[in-house]
Amino acid sequence: MSIRGFIFDLDGVLTDTAEYHYRGWKRLADELGIPFTREENEALRGIPRRESLLTLLKGRPATEEQLQEWMARKNAYYLEYIREISPADVLPGARELLEEIRAAGLKSALGSASKNAREVIERLGIAPLLDAVSDGNSVTRQKPAPDLFLHAAAQLQLSPWQCVVVEDAAAGIEAALAGGFWTIGLGPQTRVGRAHVVLPSLQDARLENLLAGLKTS
Ligand code: BG6
Ligand code: MG
């Protein structure tokens, strides 16, 4: 085993933007008179914008023009909410792990389905700790297709088997496994149980322990 790089999902791994996505979708759903709960929002973890909207609509008919307008409206709400994001919003353990990876001479990349990922990492102040960014604009096929992580690995000039993907979404773990990556799943077994290593979060996740855990997986 020779791990040379880490690819991090953003939402739910490095920061918790799920609440802002929820508030954006909820505001749109209220305006459209569609019921939408926090539980339903959980199912949208890692799911791209358009698919999230189609899930929220629950089969209600809509023209392409309406879909575009509603996606733009939700995104405007989301952009309004993420203005609040600051370095204090990096999830516990994430910055320390990024720093350890850099100090060990390994590479780090972002692999996020979000088209707003760059803005979020700038606001979090972690952009300088990432060697490459692959986001919702980088590939056409989104998770669970492996394309986004393959794009990130290519930017790092590494092969999938040399990289670990850190994810909190089932779709993200499937994408990474499909691409031949090592995987660390954050969250409940029911959601990320297919990952090589499962942890509740990155809190107290030291690089040495992660590498040892992957070795014995
Ligand atoms: C993922 C989030 O990271 O990005 C999803 O988990 C979101 O909830 C997706 O729908 C797309 O994000 P954006 O910012 O491009 O709408
Ligand atoms: Mg995520």
Side-chain angles (χ1 to χ4, degrees):
M1 177 191 233
S2 78
I3 302 287
R4 304 296 314 147
F6 279 72
I7 302 172
F8 292 91
D9 172 51
L10 177 64
D11 299 321
V13 169
L14 298 177
T15 190
D16 194 7
T17 41
E19 177 63 21
Y20 300 117
H21 281 295
Y22 167 69
R23 280 161 61 184
W25 287 126
K26 176 69 179 155
R27 192 160 150 192
L28 177 72
D30 286 351
E31 287 166 356
L32 300 180
I34 299 172
F36 184 65
T37 63
R38 271 180 197 281
E39 290 66 42
E40 287 174 83
N41 186 63
E42 273 300 295
L44 303 185
R45 218 174 253 270
I47 303 296
R49 199 180 300 174
R50 186 184 181 90
E51 251 183 79
S52 298
L53 174 61
L54 295 175
T55 306
L56 181 146
L57 290 175
K58 302 179 190 94
R60 286 171 177 79
T63 64
E64 181 58 31
E65 206 183 347
Q66 283 175 313
L67 294 178
Q68 293 299 336
E69 197 266 307
W70 294 338
M71 281 191 286
R73 211 195 295 179
K74 181 267 176 177
N75 197 51
Y77 297 152
Y78 181 72
L79 289 174
E80 185 183 317
Y81 301 141
I82 64 171
R83 270 193 237 134
E84 292 172 18
I85 292 182
S86 77
D89 294 304
V90 179
L91 282 172
R95 186 190 305 277
E96 293 78 357
L97 180 59
L98 286 167
E99 284 168 353
E100 268 194 294
I101 290 169
R102 174 129 318 161
L106 306 183
K107 298 283 179 204
S108 289
L110 193 74
S112 167
S114 173
K115 292 186 168 152
N116 299 300
R118 276 182 193 273
E119 166 145 9
V120 174
I121 58 169
E122 291 293 342
R123 288 188 182 278
L124 292 170
I126 55 173
L129 289 169
L130 293 159
D131 299 296
V133 173
S134 296
D135 64 15
N137 305 297
S138 304
V139 295
T140 309
R141 289 197 314 161
Q142 298 295 334
K143 304 168 190 177
D147 304 29
L148 186 70
F149 296 135
L150 293 171
H151 185 275
Q155 287 203 78
L156 297 180
Q157 296 184 296
L158 295 174
S159 300
W161 54 269
Q162 296 176 300
C163 299
V164 186
V165 168
V166 187
E167 257 290 352
D168 70 313
I173 295 295
E174 292 312 315
L177 292 174
F181 292 89
W182 292 97
T183 50
I184 294 175
L186 304 183
Q189 284 282 346
T190 45
R191 197 171 75 207
V192 291
R194 294 216 335 117
H196 295 95
V197 168
V198 176
L199 298 172
S201 73
L202 287 180
Q203 187 152 25
D204 306 321
R206 297 281 57 86
L207 177 60
E208 197 186 336
N209 299 340
L210 295 182
L211 295 176
L214 288 166
K215 209 172 257 179
T216 56
S217 69

